[in-house]
Amino acid sequence: MSRLYEAVLFDRDGTLIVDVPYNGDPALVEPMPGAREALDRLRAAGIKLGVVTNQSGLARGYFTAGQLAAVNARVEELLGPFDTWQMCPHDDTAGCRCRKPAPGLIEDAAAALGTSPQRCVVVGDIGRDMVAAGAAGATGIIVPTDVTLTPEVAAAPAGAADLAGAVGLILERQALVTPVVTRERAGTVLVVRSDSAGDMLITGPGIRAVAAGAERVVLLCGPRGRAAAELLPGVDEIIEARLPWIDPQPSPVDAAFVRDLTERLAATGAEEAVIFTSFHQSALPLALLLRAAGVGRITAISDDYPGSLLDVRHRVPAGLPEAERARSVAAAAGFALPATDDGGLRVETGPVRGGHDYVVVHPGASVEARSCPPATMRAIVAALAADGHEVLVTGGPDERELAAYVAGDAGTDAGLMSLRELAGLLAGASAVVVANTGPAHLAAAVGTPVVSLYAPTVPFGQWGPYRVPYVRLGDAAAPCRDTRATRCPVPGHPCLSSIAPADVLAALRLLGVRAQHPRTEEVAA
């Protein structure tokens, strides 16, 4: 069975111990409240522990290597052993890959522990800890202190009041994707996700979990998610139907629709169904039809009383990443990913363009409020090209004028392509610059780093790029935060229009993306 997390990596000063600036004296080491108990809970759960800490005091001459070692030894004396220590001895002028917010310490810690950053959690008290976690592809949890800035808390994918809360969150998320009991292999299982392409992609880990424990998987999806459904591993058959209680442009519900869909569901021969929904959707109308179709066992999330419509009524806490929400539903039904599956998003791509020497910019979004203003995107493309990057601009059938405008003379409009072809293009890119929309999840599914231009209308921890290196840009504390607005309520769309091209260039450097043909003289001019 696949574990959600294999290691937790902690910042040292301000997270594990009280921050004493440039401390070289072991006698001044004081654990944060509840630290030892929290760490022992993780040890008891079989999770490896590491420390990832910037120690520029060494480069600045505030303490010696021997004093640093003595302080770390005192930390272990008070808090117990750690499986790895990763320290950056440089200051901000070094330009190293290890000083947070760079991801090097996290990548090195994961390698030392025999795992990947994607299966690590980083717990820290300031923004650079969270940025480093994202740039490595790890999960970030911020535990604020008096020095933590409000925008840093707003931008973090998850947060807790103290170390005990952070560890509780980690263990809760692990438990949610772990079946309580093992079960016999199922026959034909119907899985359901009737939503957009992006929603379908982030449901993939949950569908793979069902496929790992079933002989056959039939997927019911809507027309908006069909192209993505065809890319998902583990699906044997697809049924397409527009569900009026979920689709944003619903058709009328009448007896003929109910009769036709019930007959189609019965024809699958499914003995069991697992219904995947987002938090604002109800599984109960479909559960009623599945009962009428003769499906014997139905699992779904339901806050409303389901009566006899569900055999397994599942509940999840708010803020859970959508991919883990899906895995938790599968786990409630008794299905889990195998140990060889890392739990990330995954698709079957078309031909992959070689080279990895180009950046893809996708300016559109399925919801207007999440789309970066075209003029801002055009300026980003121009800056990328001036820095020496080859830039390919993508867009859907309704975004041809937008793509051409954003590409301008500096970029190249990649033209109209299928979702499978887009997956192949993204798989060959060094990075993708994109808002919160389907191609961001498609990039995550092919393992390509994401510069996420993220409007905070929905929580980043739920909908941001999952288990892939990313850098989040945009005002995370904007007035539209968590409003689910579909149109920007603030003139000028400041949460995204404030993103400067230089911010995107810096994000790419943090992700390790360098221009193949730098034009230093041209940029300087």
Side-chain angles (χ1 to χ4, degrees):
M1 188 186 331
S2 175
R3 294 179 65 104
L4 184 62
Y5 304 122
E6 293 183 338
V8 180
L9 310 176
F10 293 90
D11 172 57
R12 196 192 76 173
D13 303 317
T15 301
L16 290 174
I17 60 175
V18 175
D19 186 16
V20 177
Y22 304 116
N23 180 32
D25 184 355
L28 299 180
V29 173
E30 179 185 352
M32 295 294 282
R36 179 62 190 251
E37 294 80 3
L39 295 172
D40 284 345
R41 289 186 67 193
L42 293 173
R43 293 183 180 110
I47 295 177
K48 298 175 182 178
L49 304 182
V51 178
V52 287
T53 176
N54 289 349
Q55 293 297 328
S56 65
L58 196 61
R60 300 173 193 269
Y62 291 120
F63 49 74
T64 66
Q67 289 173 317
L68 176 59
V71 168
N72 291 340
R74 180 59 175 163
V75 172
E76 288 205 325
E77 182 181 345
L78 295 171
L79 298 180
F82 291 88
D83 299 293
T84 186
W85 283 80
Q86 301 293 331
M87 294 171 285
C88 173
H90 310 111
D91 61 21
D92 285 320
T93 65
C96 61
R97 60 174 287 278
C98 52
R99 182 169 174 79
K100 293 178 291 184
L105 291 179
I106 297 164
E107 294 167 347
D108 292 346
L113 297 174
T115 187
S116 66
Q118 287 74 16
R119 287 190 172 183
C120 294
V121 184
V122 177
V123 180
D125 66 316
I126 59 175
R128 65 172 53 201
D129 297 318
M130 299 299 98
V131 175
T139 296
I141 300 177
I142 196 166
V143 179
T145 65
D146 291 341
V147 304
T148 312
L149 302 177
T150 299
E152 295 176 334
V153 177
D162 51 29
L163 275 178
V167 168
L169 178 59
I170 292 166
L171 295 177
E172 179 185 38
R173 285 169 65 166
Q174 176 71 62
L176 281 167
V177 301
T178 305
V180 176
V181 296
T182 57
R183 55 171 292 173
E184 295 183 356
R185 189 170 182 82
T188 297
V189 180
L190 178 74
V191 296
V192 183
R193 185 69 198 247
S194 179
D195 224 315
S196 68
D199 297 312
M200 185 64 68
L201 294 171
I202 56 181
T203 307
I207 293 173
R208 295 201 309 272
V210 175
E215 297 293 338
R216 181 167 173 266
V217 172
V218 180
L219 170 60
L220 171 64
C221 69
R224 295 185 302 138
R226 176 63 186 258
E230 293 174 348
L231 305 183
L232 295 181
V235 176
D236 299 296
E237 180 184 346
I238 296 175
I239 298 176
E240 181 182 319
R242 189 186 299 272
L243 302 186
W245 50 90
I246 289 181
D247 197 89
Q249 297 178 324
S251 56
V253 179
D254 55 28
F257 168 82
V258 172
R259 182 172 56 252
D260 176 67
L261 183 54
T262 303
E263 291 174 354
R264 294 173 69 191
L265 295 172
T268 66
E271 303 95 351
E272 181 173 351
V274 179
I275 305 175
F276 298 105
T277 52
S278 189
F279 75 97
H280 62 286
Q281 299 168 345
S282 174
L284 298 185
L286 182 62
L288 177 62
L289 271 62
L290 289 168
R291 283 291 188 232
V295 176
R297 185 173 189 262
I298 305 173
T299 299
I301 293 173
S302 181
D303 291 325
D304 297 324
Y305 173 61
S308 59
L309 293 179
L310 299 179
D311 297 281
V312 181
R313 179 191 185 187
H314 184 50
R315 293 184 179 181
V316 295
L320 197 68
E322 288 292 301
E324 292 173 28
R325 178 184 172 95
R327 283 182 65 179
S328 79
V329 179
F335 299 104
L337 289 173
T340 54
D341 193 318
D342 66 2
L345 309 190
R346 191 180 301 168
V347 293
E348 298 169 351
T349 72
V352 176
R353 171 171 167 163
H356 293 272
D357 57 351
Y358 58 93
V359 174
V360 171
V361 173
H362 187 89
S366 56
V367 176
E368 181 182 326
R370 303 178 196 166
S371 181
C372 196
T376 301
M377 297 299 285
R378 183 181 173 102
I380 288 171
V381 169
L384 290 172
D387 196 48
H389 295 278
E390 179 186 1
V391 185
L392 303 182
V393 181
T394 57
D398 299 330
E399 299 169 336
R400 303 317 313 147
E401 290 186 10
L402 174 64
Y405 169 77
V406 169
D409 296 329
T412 300
D413 183 349
L416 189 62
M417 60 186 69
S418 68
L419 197 66
R420 186 181 297 273
E421 291 170 331
L422 178 59
L425 182 73
L426 297 180
S430 55
V432 180
V433 181
V434 61
N436 175 23
T437 190
H441 303 304
L442 191 59
V446 297
T448 299
V450 176
V451 177
S452 179
L453 314 181
Y454 198 91
T457 54
V458 294
F460 184 83
Q462 280 184 261
W463 298 98
Y466 188 70
R467 291 203 162 186
V468 69
Y470 73 84
V471 174
R472 176 184 183 174
L473 298 178
D475 182 2
C480 64
R481 180 180 172 88
D482 296 340
T483 62
R484 295 189 59 79
T486 57
R487 293 181 178 274
C488 180
V490 183
H493 210 346
C495 72
L496 294 181
S497 63
S498 59
I499 297 172
D503 298 331
V504 177
L505 293 175
L508 290 176
R509 287 193 292 271
L510 199 61
L511 292 168
V513 177
R514 299 289 188 271
Q516 296 298 309
H517 308 289
R519 303 175 184 176
T520 307
E521 295 180 1
E522 182 177 331
V523 173

